[in-house]
Amino acid sequence: MTERFSAREAIALAGDDFRELPVPMRAFKPDGPLSWQGYDDSRRRALTRTGEDESVVCGTAVIGSTRAVLIAFEFGFLGGSLGERTGDRVEAAYTHARAHRLPVVSLVATGGSRMQEGMLALTQLQRVARQSALAREAGLPQIAVLRDPTTGGGWATLGAGADVTLALPGAQVGFAGSRVRPSDADPAAYTAEAQMAAGAVDAVVREEELRETLALWLTLLTAPAAEAEGEVGGEVESEAASGGEVEPVSPPAALGAPGLPATGWDAVRHARSPERPRAAAYLDAYFSRRAAIGGDRCGGSDDGMLCGFGSGPAGRTVAYAAQCGTATRPAGYRTAARLIRLAGRLGFPVLTLVDTPGAANDAQAERQGAGSAIADLFAAVATARTPVTTLVIGEGGSGGALALAAPGNTWATPDSYFSVIAPELAAAILKRPASEVRDTADQLRIRPQDLVELGVIRGIVEHAGR
């Protein structure tokens, strides 16, 4: 179990210059809206113990160079539970964020909704969900930090509903709290690490790295607005929110061998070469710094699909989704679709790197919904709100590769190929002997120069340094 910080300790851990927001006033009759006997006494004891008069502390703070709205839960106050007054404060914090165009960072530590206020407490989740949705519509980034514990409605709204979800090591995370789970439930399933493995958390971040990590994320997710208006802090409208156009990015320069393949089979050999640069090399060369999202929010993750945001040429923030040369799993396609839609909401161009022999086609992939996952990515690319630029850096295997490619804005490196089907499989379907695989590769016209001539790609990027 991770160390439990008070709300103000968590705020100090995350940023500086904290300025508490005015507290909305709500009058309660004795013992609250349900007249729950002893509720007022419980609140008084919580105030004495924590110094807080509610379970959340809301204000603004500077994290790195960005001012953000902070919503920090005080678990010592009735288990960080949500009641009507909690809902009032969270709503006021989001209203302030929209009025001043500030990102929202939630430092969550809660046991759920407050029993002493009954259904009135539970309905606060609807208020919180609406405020989060309004922030999304306004193009404001939302980041959650999951502290110990993060359970119940707080997890199912501010935590799991954030654009980027971080967690402290060992934090208890799950919809079911420790006292309401089945008696035989595996406690390891209710941890930050387990939620990351299940695709629900983007990263587990150590306490000493939290401030730097939050600063990087906020810098990346507010950079277009700050650069567009020449100021720091993310307090101006983003290009997407203000109606401005977002320009596409230029594809990275090729890192592999500069010469074009003489034959189709040469193109296949070059693309499959273990010496060829992979996605990580391209991302490292293109971005000065980057931060990754992970997981499809549907129970899965795929290490073969790298997604996130980076600082590209001239310091411009660019979203990226990059295949790593492996067969892409359904979770990889869903994560890429999530990335493209998030980039569209926040106003960032997208760079995709294609490198896969194809979609994973084993039984597990089918059970995980491979077809629907690929369809979802095709739809995300087709309806992207910001420009998508694609570079084929290796294998372009059938629809599993095409789903990540931008129509009309796809480029290729000299050591790549793009094909409707692998030459070996094409030969097998045509009942040709193995000796005819190379001729089949030529017939498929899969070389980069063939793809340019066919109008499938826009061009072949030059080798770095040329």
Side-chain angles (χ1 to χ4, degrees):
M1 183 179 71
T2 187
E3 181 179 353
R4 286 185 175 172
F5 301 98
S6 70
R8 294 186 189 271
E9 287 173 336
I11 290 169
L13 194 66
D16 299 305
D17 190 26
F18 179 69
R19 304 173 187 176
E20 193 163 352
L21 292 172
V23 175
M25 300 306 296
R26 176 188 289 265
F28 271 164
K29 61 184 180 181
D31 284 329
L34 303 187
S35 298
W36 184 288
Q37 187 174 0
Y39 182 37
D40 284 348
D41 290 338
S42 296
R43 290 178 56 86
R44 280 191 288 268
R45 289 194 297 271
L47 170 62
T48 300
R49 182 169 57 252
T50 66
E52 308 294 349
D53 60 359
E54 223 352 296
S55 61
V56 290
V57 177
C58 301
T60 69
V62 175
I63 303 175
S65 60
T66 306
R67 183 163 287 279
V69 166
L70 263 62
I71 300 171
F73 281 72
E74 176 53 71
F75 188 75
F77 191 99
L78 301 181
S81 56
L82 283 83
E84 286 189 293
R85 288 174 174 170
T86 319
D88 292 342
R89 296 188 183 194
V90 171
E91 184 175 71
Y94 268 100
T95 300
H96 184 88
R98 293 197 306 277
H100 296 274
R101 308 246 9 118
L102 296 175
V104 178
V105 176
S106 299
L107 307 172
V108 189
T110 173
S113 299
R114 194 169 300 168
M115 293 184 300
Q116 296 92 332
E117 296 184 24
M119 279 301 299
L120 291 175
L122 190 65
T123 59
Q124 300 311 303
L125 302 181
Q126 295 171 322
R127 292 179 72 188
V128 173
R130 172 172 169 75
Q131 293 305 311
S132 179
L134 290 174
R136 283 195 295 273
E137 289 179 2
L140 300 178
Q142 299 176 76
I143 301 174
V145 178
L146 312 182
R147 297 152 54 210
D148 186 61
T150 297
T151 61
W155 164 229
T157 52
L158 292 175
D163 298 319
V164 177
T165 304
L166 310 175
L168 296 180
Q172 178 187 174
V173 180
F175 187 66
S178 60
R179 297 183 182 180
V180 297
R181 299 170 192 157
S183 58
D184 60 348
D186 179 6
Y190 301 85
T191 63
E193 290 77 7
Q195 294 290 355
M196 182 175 172
V201 168
D202 293 299
V204 174
V205 182
R206 292 185 299 174
E207 168 195 338
E208 59 269 26
E209 297 173 346
L210 179 61
R211 179 180 292 223
E212 181 180 356
T213 301
L214 284 173
L216 173 58
W217 270 113
L218 289 171
T219 297
L220 290 172
L221 298 186
T222 61
E227 291 173 5
E229 301 296 332
E231 59 182 273
V232 175
E235 299 191 25
V236 294
E237 292 191 39
S238 70
E239 293 180 45
S242 63
E245 292 189 3
V246 179
E247 294 295 324
V249 298
S250 298
L255 299 179
L260 290 172
T263 68
W265 188 246
D266 286 339
V268 174
R269 287 193 306 105
H270 294 169
R272 293 177 180 174
S273 169
E275 285 78 36
R276 175 183 56 79
R278 277 3 193 219
Y282 277 90
L283 296 176
D284 287 343
Y286 192 73
F287 295 111
S288 58
R289 54 182 178 169
R290 53 191 171 97
I293 67 168
D296 61 0
R297 297 299 187 264
C298 297
S301 59
D302 180 7
D303 292 339
M305 180 76 81
L306 303 180
C307 295
F309 296 84
S311 183
R316 182 186 188 189
T317 295
V318 176
Y320 64 85
Q323 292 167 320
C324 298
T326 57
T328 305
R329 311 293 307 177
Y333 292 114
R334 292 191 181 101
T335 304
R338 173 193 162 207
L339 181 280
I340 291 169
R341 292 188 175 111
L342 175 56
R345 288 203 309 270
L346 299 180
F348 301 113
V350 180
L351 170 68
T352 66
L353 301 181
V354 168
D355 184 11
T356 180
N361 57 8
D362 53 73
Q364 183 181 20
E366 293 300 334
R367 285 192 291 267
Q368 293 172 345
S372 61
I374 295 170
D376 189 41
L377 181 54
F378 268 120
V381 173
T383 60
R385 296 171 57 183
T386 50
V388 180
T389 301
T390 298
L391 180 62
V392 185
I393 64 170
E395 292 194 80
S398 193
L402 188 66
L404 198 60
N409 198 25
T410 293
W411 305 73
T413 63
D415 50 1
S416 68
Y417 78 89
F418 217 150
S419 180
V420 64
I421 190 172
E424 299 93 333
L425 297 179
I429 291 172
L430 296 172
K431 298 182 179 180
R432 294 177 177 178
S435 60
E436 294 186 23
V437 168
R438 296 188 179 193
D439 291 338
T440 303
D442 284 333
Q443 287 181 291
L444 288 169
R445 301 197 65 190
I446 59 180
R447 301 176 303 168
Q449 58 266 46
D450 295 326
L451 300 172
V452 172
E453 185 177 339
L454 291 169
V456 175
I457 65 174
R458 288 186 60 177
I460 303 167
V461 298
E462 292 190 359
H463 188 261
R466 290 185 61 185

